[in-house]
Amino acid sequence: MTRPDDVYPDDMEPQRPDDFEQLLDSQVAGAASEYEPADLTADFIQQAYAVLRDVGPPAPARELNEFIGVSTSTAAGAAVGTLLSVETMVFDDERKSGMLATLIAAAATTGGKILVGAAAVFAVAGGAQATGVVDFTAADESVQVATVQAATVQVATQPDIPGDEVLGEILVNVDGAGSVVLLVEDGALRSVSVVIEDGWTALEEENDGEVFVVFTNVSGDEVVVTAVIEDDLVRVKTRGFNTDVESFFSVSGEPVDGVDDDDDGVDDDDDGVDDDDDGVGDDDGVGDED
Amino acid sequence: MDRHAGIVDGVEDAFEAVLLRAARGDGLAFEHIFHCYAGRIRAFALARGAQDADAITNDVMLRVFQNLGLFEGNEQAFVRWIFTVTRNRLIDAHRAEQRRPIVADTEVPERHERSAESVAFDRVSIDDVAQRLGQLTVDQREVIALRLIHDLSLKDVAEIVDRPITAVKALQRRGLRSLQRRILDEGVS
C-alpha cells in the first residue's frame, strides 16, 4: 500500500550512497565511525544512540501487579515476604530437575540491593561463611583485575537439611552486577544464592553439573559466570566486556592457585614459576633445572 | 573450545523459557520481560514525542502481558511485536491529544535551544535527543529512533511501521538530511 507521504521529490532521485545513512548503519552495527568528532550530526547520532539505550524502565504501574509476582518496592517488609515466595520458586520441582532455567528477578531490600534465591532468605536471617571468594570487576571495562583470596566473608547460613554434607561455599562477586554463591554438596555443584544489583537481572541455569548465571543490565551489557567440577576442582569462569577470568577451588571451597588445566605438560600461568615440580622449566626460556 | 558460544546459545534458549514461563503466569518471568524491554519502549515513546512516556510504557507492557499467550516466535519477532504494539499505542495517544480542546495561554514554554557546539561537546540528555528528533516529521523520527534504540534492521523497522523497506529508507534518508541541515543552520547562526 502506498501512503501519501511515502513519496517525496527526493525519492525520485536515483539511489546513491548517503554518508549519513552509512553512519547510522555503522552505528547500529556497532562499527567505528569514520567521521571526525567535529562532524556535529555524526556526534549527535552517536550520542543519541547512547542516550536512548540508557533510558531505564518506569516504575511498574499498579495494573501490572497482576502479572509481576515480585514487588519492586524497596520496602523492607515487602522484601522479606517476597524473598520467601522466591524461595518457594527456586526450590520447586523444576529447579530440582536441574534442567529448566530459573529466572531470578527483583526483590529489593532496604540496602538497595536485590536479593533473590533461597540463600537470600538465609542472609536476612543470619550469617555463615564462604571460604572461597572471587572478585570480578564488571562495571569498568578498562579494569581487568580479578583476585582469588582465601577470605572469609559473611554470606549466608546454610540450609538445615539433615543428611546434606555442606563442605564450603564459593562467593563469586561480580562488582557492579551482583554475586553468586556456589556450593559443592554431595559431590554436586549448585548455586545457593544470586544477589543482583539495581539495574541488573540474572538468569540462572544448572545443567549436567554445570552452573551458569548470566547478569544482564538494561543496556544489554552481559556478564556470564560459569562453574563446573573438573578433576575434583571447582572451575569458575567469569566473562564480561573484554575481561575473562578463570579461578579454581577445591570442593571444600578453598581457592587453588596456579592450576594447569589442560594436561598439556605446560605451565600456563606465565608467572615465571614452574608449578609442577617435574624438573621441567616454564616455557619462558628460563628453566628451573637443567 | 569456545565455552562462551555455548552459553550464548543457552541464553537464547532461555529467552524461550522465559516466554513459556510467562505464558504460564510466572510472575518472575513477567518481571524479567519488563526489566529487559520497558526501558527501550520508554525510550521509543520519548523519542517519538509522547507526553506521558511512562504511562504509555506501562500500558504497552500490560497489553503485551495480556496477550503473551497468543505470541509465537523467537526473540527478534518478540521485539518487533512489542515495538509494533508501542507504535500503535503512541498513535492512539497522539490522536487523543489532538482531540483535546486547545486552551489559550497554555502553550508549552519554548525550550531553551542548545547551540550546536554545546551539543557537540556535552553529553546530551534524553530531552535533548527528543527535542532534536522532534524537529523531524513523526514518520522520520520513529524510523531513526527504532534503528537506534534496538539495533533494528531496515526490514524489522519496515515491518513495525507497516511500510515497504524503500519507504523506510527514504524516511531515514530525509530525516538524516533534515537533522544535518538544522544542526548546520544552528551552527551558522
Side-chain angles (χ1 to χ4, degrees), chain B residues 19 29 31 42 46 88 113 142 147 156 163 171:
Chain B
L19 286 188
E31 180 89 27
R42 183 165 170 249
L46 289 167
N88 292 339
E113 293 279 342
E142 71 181 5
R147 294 218 64 200
D156 288 331
R163 288 176 183 233
L171 286 167

Side-chain angles (χ1 to χ4, degrees), chain B residues 110-169:
Chain B
E110 192 171 334
R111 286 176 51 87
H112 171 66
E113 293 279 342
R114 299 184 64 183
S115 71
E117 287 77 11
S118 71
V119 170
F121 294 112
D122 297 339
R123 180 176 168 81
V124 299
S125 68
I126 183 63
D127 287 344
D128 296 323
V129 172
Q131 183 196 10
R132 178 68 71 193
L133 293 178
Q135 296 170 332
L136 308 177
T137 68
V138 172
D139 297 330
Q140 294 167 354
R141 193 188 316 168
E142 71 181 5
V143 164
I144 291 175
L146 282 169
R147 294 218 64 200
L148 289 173
I149 287 170
H150 207 90
D151 292 342
L152 292 168
S153 67
L154 283 169
K155 185 171 179 290
D156 288 331
V157 174
E159 197 165 313
I160 291 168
V161 301
D162 192 23
R163 288 176 183 233
I165 290 181
T166 50
V168 170
K169 285 186 75 172

